[in-house]
């Protein structure tokens, strides 16, 4: 992508009249991005499972904050070092936070069940600390897996088509950042749409606000003030005056309890842990590919290794969720940020989180007011997807995006299915149940599926049929082991010769999907025998 094309696709935001304003605007947006996920983590553990706040806010959240601070410090160091080596003073450091899909996976499949299954026998606090140790062990395993996978990062970046890498990002952006966030915006439309439009004007369109005010800051402040005006006016319909919680400082705890637990109960859940670690390693390579399109060149191996190190540091201080490089890099780059935005954001996270302010804010700032920042990030990822790459490869974007859409659709259907009574579930026909199982299988391991599907179509377009055939063989192998298309609700892996006991359609689905991929591989190999040259 040429420099002129990049500038056209990513115009600098008018609100940045100098580096300080650029970093302030991007830093506040990044801060909100991180804080929203911390809110989600604490909300699920306390709201859905009833874990005591002293463990969640006193141990788990501080550990996550240490990982965020350490990881961003390493990425800032990397950006400064790379800038000096390349002579590019405008490098934007890669942002790092905790991973949202891993939050759901850890809470609902590992930490939450471990707490619930032991709370009656152990009591609330001992059961929570037991579940916390299992969560730390899972995070240590993820760090190790990502470090090993980092040695394949450079090969993945150079060998995988750009459209496949960016397309996988676009799928996540469309649903988990875009659709999900917009749904949250319209839950409180009177105030959230105000915040959304301010960010659309200042951050998405790049127009200048009066006095060069930072759009992200103004959007949150205006939205929050308007929320409380309506709440105090007694409007109702979701507008309530929230009781201010007590500010309680939270100091991170250095502990090796998670390392000691790595050979314990968590080994039964490694089939869940591995796909999440693989997901983030692949995502990190995608982010490096996106950064390269907008002019920032980073070593993918080093990026994955920094992320693995941050996850390890987080776990040794009490964190249970792996860290991840954030897709917001291109957004912050367009805002004109360099490294100061990350320094400001992590400083606010560290001071606010360890001082108890994040726990306070999680209960005081309406969630709908924070959601628009995710829409901003999604918009820039889609801008990146449509602006970069060979136009002939554009159909591959669809193939790369669909697995993310299926994953989002399944999460919504699954949530609804779990809420209806068992009697109603039994009235659903076999065809519906089979479709539900298929949707679930197609949604699991979706990032790796996106990469395979997108790459396969690019190689077909370019008549690299043998490469496409090997991609289909890889998909068949991953399917048999449950790395992608797992039929287990936990997304766990299995051995093809020792499948978990399942009935009906679920018992044959892995073999049928693998057979389909193998037939595809044979067809592609036969197509490779045709020596016709690719079209110009």
């Amino acid at each position: 992508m040429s420099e002129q094309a990049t500038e056209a696709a990513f115009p600098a935001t008018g609100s940045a009249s100098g580096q300080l304003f650029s970093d302030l605007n991007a830093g506040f947006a990044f801060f909100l991005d991180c804080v929203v996920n911390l809110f989600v983590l604490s909300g699920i553990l306390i709201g859905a499972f009833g874990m005591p706040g002293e463990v969640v806010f006193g141990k788990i959240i501080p550990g996550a904050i240490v990982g965020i601070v350490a990881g961003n410090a390493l990425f800032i160091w990397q950006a400064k070092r790379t800038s000096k080596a390349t002579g590019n003073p405008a490098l934007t450091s890669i942002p790092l936070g905790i991973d949202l899909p891993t939050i759901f996976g850890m809470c609902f499949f590992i930490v939450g069940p471990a707490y619930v299954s032991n709370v009656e026998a152990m009591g609330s606090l001992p059961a929570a600390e037991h579940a916390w140790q299992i969560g730390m062990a899972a995070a240590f395993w993820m760090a190790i897996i990502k470090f090993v996978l980092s040695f394949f990062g450079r090969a993945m970046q150079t060998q995988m088509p750009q459209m496949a890498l960016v397309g996988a990002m676009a799928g996540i952006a469309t649903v988990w950042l875009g659709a999900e966030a917009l749904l949250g915006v319209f839950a409180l439309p009177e105030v959230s749409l105000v915040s959304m439009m301010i960010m659309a004007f200042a951050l998405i369109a790049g127009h200048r606000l009066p006095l060069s005010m930072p759009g992200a800051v103004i959007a949150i402040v205006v939205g929050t003030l308007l929320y409380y005006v309506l709440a105090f006016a007694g409007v109702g319909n979701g507008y309530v005056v929230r009781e201010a919680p007590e500010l309680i400082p939270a100091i991170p705890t250095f502990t090796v309890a998670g390392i000691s637990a790595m050979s314990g109960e968590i080994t039964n859940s490694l089939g869940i842990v591995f796909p999440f670690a693989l997901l983030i390693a692949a995502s990190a390579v995608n982010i490096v590919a996106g950064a390269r399109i907008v002019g920032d060149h980073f070593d993918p191996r080093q990026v994955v290794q920094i992320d693995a190190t941050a996850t390890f540091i987080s776990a040794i201080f009490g964190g249970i969720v792996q860290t991840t490089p954030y897709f917001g890099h291109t957004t912050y780059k367009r805002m004109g940020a360099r490294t100061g935005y990350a320094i400001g954001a992590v400083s606010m996270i560290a001071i606010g989180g360890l001082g108890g302010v994040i726990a306070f804010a999680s209960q005081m700032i309406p969630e709908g007011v924070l959601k628009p920042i995710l829409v901003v990030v999604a918009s820039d990822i889609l801008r990146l997807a449509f602006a970069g790459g060979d136009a002939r490869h554009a159909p591959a974007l669809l193939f790369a995006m669909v697995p993310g859409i299926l994953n989002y659709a399944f999460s919504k259907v699954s949530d609804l299915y779990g809420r209806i009574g068992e009697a109603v579930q039994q009235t659903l026909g076999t065809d519906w149940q089979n479709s539900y199982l298929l949707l679930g299988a197609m949604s699991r391991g979706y990032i790796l599926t996106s990469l395979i599907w997108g790459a396969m179509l690019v190689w077909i377009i370019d008549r690299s049929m043998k490469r496409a055939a090997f991609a289909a063989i890889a998909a068949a192998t991953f399917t048999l082991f449950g790395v992608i298309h797992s039929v287990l609700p936990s997304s766990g892996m299995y051995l093809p010769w020792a499948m978990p006991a399942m009935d009906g359609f679920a018992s044959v689905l892995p073999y049928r999907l693998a057979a389909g991929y193998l037939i595809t591989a044979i067809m592609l190999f036969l197509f490779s025998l045709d020596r016709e040259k690719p079209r110009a």
Side-chain angles (χ1 to χ4, degrees), residues 37 40 61 73 105 145 152 160 164 286 301 309 358 372 390 402 431 468:
N37 285 348
V40 172
I61 296 299
I145 293 168
F152 302 94
M160 289 291 289
N286 293 349
R301 175 189 295 183
T309 302
I358 287 181
D390 189 333
V402 164
D431 288 344

Side-chain angles (χ1 to χ4, degrees), residues 478-497:
F478 289 143
T479 298
L480 285 173
F481 286 88
V483 178
I484 63 174
H485 308 326
S486 173
V487 293
L488 298 181
S490 64
S491 300
M493 297 186 300
Y494 34 71
L495 299 174
W497 54 85

Side-chain angles (χ1 to χ4, degrees), residues 109-394:
F109 297 130
I110 296 178
V111 177
Y115 171 72
V116 171
S117 62
N118 290 291
V119 67
E120 185 174 345
M122 293 183 173
S124 179
L125 187 57
E129 293 190 342
H130 176 71
W132 169 54
Q133 292 175 8
I134 293 174
M136 287 189 291
F140 280 124
W141 274 113
M142 290 180 187
I144 292 170
I145 293 168
K146 288 192 291 187
F147 186 82
V148 172
L149 291 173
S150 70
F151 294 98
F152 302 94
R154 187 184 298 274
M156 189 174 180
Q157 185 186 40
T158 57
Q159 297 301 318
M160 289 291 289
Q162 178 177 298
M163 192 62 76
L165 293 168
V166 179
M169 295 168 56
I172 297 171
T174 299
V175 290
W176 286 112
L177 299 181
E180 180 71 5
L182 283 171
L183 188 63
V185 165
F186 281 92
L188 290 173
E190 299 87 351
V191 299
S192 300
L193 276 174
V194 172
S195 295
M196 180 73 259
M197 289 305 104
I198 293 174
M199 291 195 191
F201 179 88
L203 304 183
I204 296 177
H207 301 312
R208 179 177 177 174
L209 288 173
L211 304 177
S212 296
M213 293 184 293
V217 177
I218 298 303
I220 300 304
V221 170
V222 170
T224 301
L225 289 175
L226 182 55
Y227 172 90
Y228 281 103
V229 167
L230 295 175
F232 279 108
V235 171
N237 297 318
Y239 295 96
V240 296
V241 179
R242 307 182 182 194
E243 183 178 350
E246 184 181 356
L247 278 176
I248 302 176
I251 306 302
T253 304
F254 179 87
T255 175
V256 295
I259 296 178
S260 302
M262 289 180 68
S263 59
E265 292 180 40
I266 191 58
T267 56
N268 297 324
S269 300
L270 289 181
I272 301 172
V273 169
F274 180 80
F276 280 112
L278 177 63
L279 180 151
I280 296 308
S283 294
V285 176
N286 293 349
I287 291 164
V288 172
R292 183 172 56 182
I293 292 174
V294 295
D296 287 357
H297 295 264
F298 295 105
D299 181 353
R301 175 189 295 183
Q302 191 176 68
V303 168
V304 179
Q305 288 177 349
I306 288 175
D307 174 47
T309 302
T311 297
F312 185 90
I313 293 173
S314 175
I316 211 166
F317 280 96
I320 65 169
V321 176
Q322 68 177 333
T323 57
T324 179
Y326 272 178
F327 287 116
H329 174 271
T330 52
T331 298
Y332 309 142
K333 176 77 174 179
R334 187 173 56 83
M335 290 180 180
R338 296 183 183 177
T339 58
Y341 86 99
I343 295 173
V346 297
S347 298
M348 291 170 62
I349 292 168
I351 296 171
L354 303 183
V357 177
I358 287 181
F360 176 89
S362 69
Q363 300 179 54
M364 298 303 295
I365 299 177
E367 186 179 359
V369 173
L370 299 172
K371 291 288 188 180
I373 193 62
L374 302 179
V375 181
V376 174
V377 174
S379 299
D380 275 332
I381 293 173
L382 288 173
R383 196 195 311 259
L384 185 71
F386 286 106
D390 189 333
R392 294 183 308 113
H393 298 160

Side-chain angles (χ1 to χ4, degrees), residues 38-51 56 100 103-108 112:
L38 291 172
F39 289 177
V40 172
L41 175 60
S42 60
I44 293 175
L45 291 177
I46 294 174
F49 293 99
M51 285 186 69
V56 176
L100 185 60
I103 289 174
F104 292 122
M106 289 295 297
C107 290
F108 286 108

